[in-house]
Amino acid sequence: PISQEFPGTMSILEYNGGAVLAMTGKNCVAIATDTRLGMQAQTVACDFQKVFKMNDKLMLGVTGLATDVQTLSQLLKFRLNMYRMREEREIKPETFSALLTHILYERRFGPYFTEPVVAGLNEKNEPFVSAMDLLGAPVFTSDFVVSGTCTSNLYGMCETMYKPNMEPDELFETASQCLLASVDRDALSGWGAVVHVITPTGTISRKLKGRQD
Amino acid sequence: MDTVMGIVGDGFCIVAADCSAARSILVFNHSEDKIVELDGNKLMGQSGPQCDTSNFAEYIQKNMTLYELNNDLQLSTHAAANFMRRELATALRKGPYQTNVLLGGFDKSAGPSLYYLDHLSSLQKVNFGAHGYASNFVLSIFDREWKHGLTLEEARAIIDKCIFELQTRFLLSQPKFKLKIVDADGIREL
């Protein structure tokens, strides 16, 4: 969220910019992010990865400070590999979400400046989404979660366009339009987008070309 | 204050940096080499205070040599970039290095590559990049002129345009620039 009290100032969470949303459908879940890497007003790259595959049915989208996006995703990959070795099975999305909140809160007084979003399908192929703030306070919803520098825009778009039980194709369209419309009005997000739709049979990933400004 | 730029072409990568060593209002010399040769096929252009740049560069250089000796295998540019990122990220919350890095390298398998690594340890593979105030001037030139598969002359011309722009419009005078190229034959100065 952009600081409203002191316009023109920037918090560390807005330094690099970014937006992510995750939306549930009928036995599927979509996660979409923009691909901008910026340094305040300057754009450095247009292909920065913010969504990471944790396993075939679980994806993690992270916004915030780019270095912590990369550190956190690498840390979680490591923890997930350890979990897989010990438990000899894949992690459930709910458990992964709990693990993530723990990892974030461990750093309560020197946090990772990230606001991650978890999207996945549980064993019954029911969709699961959750989001966290930088200290690990989670929110679990049944419809959609958002994070990044244009959350106000994203909330508005998602609330308007969301319908429950969408099929994967319709879900993709809805998620894409919500994201693109939201980041188009945000200076710090955009410059391309990527949308993943996780279904029981596989994940479909598509790159979107939006306004390149 | 330091200018570091890099560009990827057809089978090569050029890293350019200015040669002025200065602090505050004083210029120490105009013959500073800010581009470190990490091993036979990697170049690291660094900006920032000399203490952090030299410390970081030497640490990375020695560790890469150790890896080579231990494993009888040279680190790829991608691996080196990620190793550097990990070191910077760990140091970030202990004793940060105030150094921005552009790592340019050539691998037989991957070809030429350029990695942008800023002082906060965000890593991104790019086709061209610049650090510091210079980025405000030269990124738009790169955006306009860069295309896939640049020849050496074309890349050289783009860098020259960037240097000209800096010397015309940048407040700080940076009369000398050093260009180094890495390709299949190794590293040489241009």
Side-chain angles (χ1 to χ4, degrees), chain A residues 1 13 20-22 31 58-64 72 76 92-106 111-120 128-141 144-148 151 155:
Chain A
L13 284 168
V20 78
L21 69 78
I31 183 163
L58 182 63
M59 291 198 131
L60 171 77
V62 203
T63 56
L72 192 69
L76 281 163
K92 289 186 210 164
E94 299 87 354
T95 317
F96 181 77
S97 195
L99 173 66
L100 183 51
T101 57
H102 176 79
I103 289 174
L104 291 172
Y105 195 78
E106 249 183 336
Y112 293 113
F113 294 106
T114 58
E115 291 183 327
V117 154
V118 177
F128 172 89
V129 289
S130 79
M132 268 146 260
D133 73 355
L134 75 169
L135 296 180
V139 65
F140 306 99
T141 61
F144 56 84
V145 287
V146 303
S147 172
T151 46
Y155 275 125

Side-chain angles (χ1 to χ4, degrees), chain A residues 47 67 70-71 74 111, chain B residues 85-86 93 116 120 123-124:
Chain A
D47 54 357
T67 176
Q70 291 177 322
T71 304
Q74 287 167 355
Chain B
R85 194 207 93 78
R86 175 53 52 183
R93 287 178 155 94
Y116 175 100
L120 294 174
L123 178 69
Q124 180 70 6

Side-chain angles (χ1 to χ4, degrees), chain B residues 9 14 58 60 70 77 102 107 114 120 129 132 136 139 144 185:
Chain B
I14 299 181
E58 280 170 26
I60 298 289
N70 273 338
T77 314
L102 266 179
D107 305 300
L114 183 68
L120 294 174
N136 296 78
L139 277 180
R144 183 71 194 269
D185 305 320

Side-chain angles (χ1 to χ4, degrees), chain A:
Chain A
I2 308 264
S3 108
Q4 301 287 345
E5 297 86 3
F6 304 101
T9 56
M10 208 181 264
S11 90
I12 191 85
L13 284 168
E14 294 149 23
Y15 184 72
N16 293 123
V20 78
L21 69 78
M23 218 180 242
T24 59
K26 187 163 184 195
N27 294 330
C28 58
V29 62
I31 183 163
T33 74
D34 72 328
T35 49
R36 178 181 178 269
L37 174 69
M39 281 174 52
Q40 296 191 296
Q42 190 181 76
T43 299
V44 172
C46 314
D47 54 357
F48 185 69
Q49 189 186 5
K50 290 173 202 169
V51 66
F52 303 93
K53 179 177 153 175
M54 295 287 120
N55 68 41
D56 283 334
K57 291 213 228 161
L58 182 63
M59 291 198 131
L60 171 77
V62 203
T63 56
L65 194 62
T67 176
D68 286 342
V69 166
Q70 291 177 322
T71 304
L72 192 69
S73 67
Q74 287 167 355
L75 194 64
L76 281 163
K77 191 172 171 185
F78 163 67
R79 294 293 292 259
L80 207 64
N81 286 341
M82 292 303 293
Y83 184 94
R84 203 180 288 125
M85 269 199 280
R86 290 191 186 114
E87 302 267 330
E88 292 180 354
R89 64 184 173 91
E90 293 298 332
I91 196 169
K92 289 186 210 164
E94 299 87 354
T95 317
F96 181 77
S97 195
L99 173 66
L100 183 51
T101 57
H102 176 79
I103 289 174
L104 291 172
Y105 195 78
E106 249 183 336
R107 295 269 170 267
R108 168 64 177 82
F109 299 107
Y112 293 113
F113 294 106
T114 58
E115 291 183 327
V117 154
V118 177
L121 298 173
N122 66 18
E123 309 104 343
K124 292 183 239 153
N125 287 328
E126 288 157 358
F128 172 89
V129 289
S130 79
M132 268 146 260
D133 73 355
L134 75 169
L135 296 180
V139 65
F140 306 99
T141 61
S142 56
D143 42 18
F144 56 84
V145 287
V146 303
S147 172
T149 48
C150 54
T151 46
S152 323
N153 303 358
L154 284 162
Y155 275 125
M157 284 305 301
C158 290
E159 198 66 65
T160 320
M161 300 191 30
Y162 179 78
K163 296 195 309 278
N165 290 321
M166 284 187 276
E167 293 295 330
D169 287 331
E170 202 192 346
L171 183 65
F172 161 72
E173 275 304 324
T174 312
S176 310
Q177 292 304 326
C178 287
L179 184 75
L180 281 178
S182 308
V183 303
D184 281 348
R185 283 287 186 179
D186 179 22
L188 302 173
S189 318
W191 282 97
V194 67
V195 186
H196 303 275
V197 180
I198 309 170
T199 65
T201 46
T203 306
I204 313 152
S205 305
R206 295 182 185 89
K207 284 199 192 130
L208 308 175
K209 187 164 186 182
R211 283 181 65 104
Q212 300 291 304
D213 63 358

Side-chain angles (χ1 to χ4, degrees), chain B:
Chain B
M1 249 72 82
D2 303 322
T3 297
V4 182
M5 322 183 262
I7 188 167
V8 167
D10 188 18
F12 66 88
C13 179
I14 299 181
V15 178
D18 73 303
C19 295
S20 314
R23 280 298 153 258
S24 176
I25 55 169
L26 181 63
V27 177
F28 302 128
N29 71 45
H30 286 299
S31 52
E32 188 78 9
D33 187 358
K34 296 178 190 170
I35 309 175
V36 175
E37 294 168 29
L38 282 180
D39 60 21
N41 62 356
K42 289 184 231 345
L43 284 173
M44 185 162 85
Q46 282 184 300
S47 74
Q50 183 67 5
C51 54
D52 287 335
T53 59
S54 54
N55 255 340
F56 185 68
E58 280 170 26
Y59 179 71
I60 298 289
Q61 203 168 31
K62 300 311 169 216
N63 270 293
M64 282 176 60
T65 315
L66 180 65
Y67 183 92
E68 233 173 286
L69 289 169
N70 273 338
N71 299 298
D72 210 9
L73 195 67
Q74 222 179 30
L75 268 178
S76 66
T77 314
H78 176 76
N82 277 290
F83 172 62
M84 284 163 59
R85 194 207 93 78
R86 175 53 52 183
E87 291 303 320
L88 267 179
T90 317
L92 183 66
R93 287 178 155 94
K94 291 187 182 147
Y97 292 104
Q98 282 174 24
T99 167
N100 294 309
V101 173
L102 266 179
L103 176 72
F106 185 88
D107 305 300
K108 280 199 201 66
S109 48
S113 48
L114 183 68
Y115 289 87
Y116 175 100
L117 180 61
D118 84 352
H119 68 286
L120 294 174
S121 183
S122 331
L123 178 69
Q124 180 70 6
K125 185 169 187 295
V126 291
N127 292 316
F128 52 82
H131 279 298
Y133 287 117
S135 58
N136 296 78
F137 298 93
V138 308
L139 277 180
S140 38
I141 300 179
F142 281 135
D143 271 326
R144 183 71 194 269
E145 306 280 342
W146 188 89
K147 58 182 203 292
H148 192 70
L150 286 168
T151 64
L152 181 55
E153 294 74 29
E154 288 170 332
R156 189 79 199 264
I158 298 175
I159 299 263
D160 285 341
K161 269 195 193 138
C162 293
I163 293 175
F164 177 72
E165 186 67 23
L166 287 169
Q167 286 173 341
T168 316
R169 292 293 184 184
F170 187 30
L171 180 70
L172 305 179
S173 161
Q174 294 176 327
K176 242 187 97 188
F177 278 80
K178 197 178 271 268
L179 275 75
K180 287 192 186 170
I181 183 172
V182 59
D183 59 16
D185 305 320
I187 298 174
R188 62 186 189 284
E189 230 181 273
L190 286 176

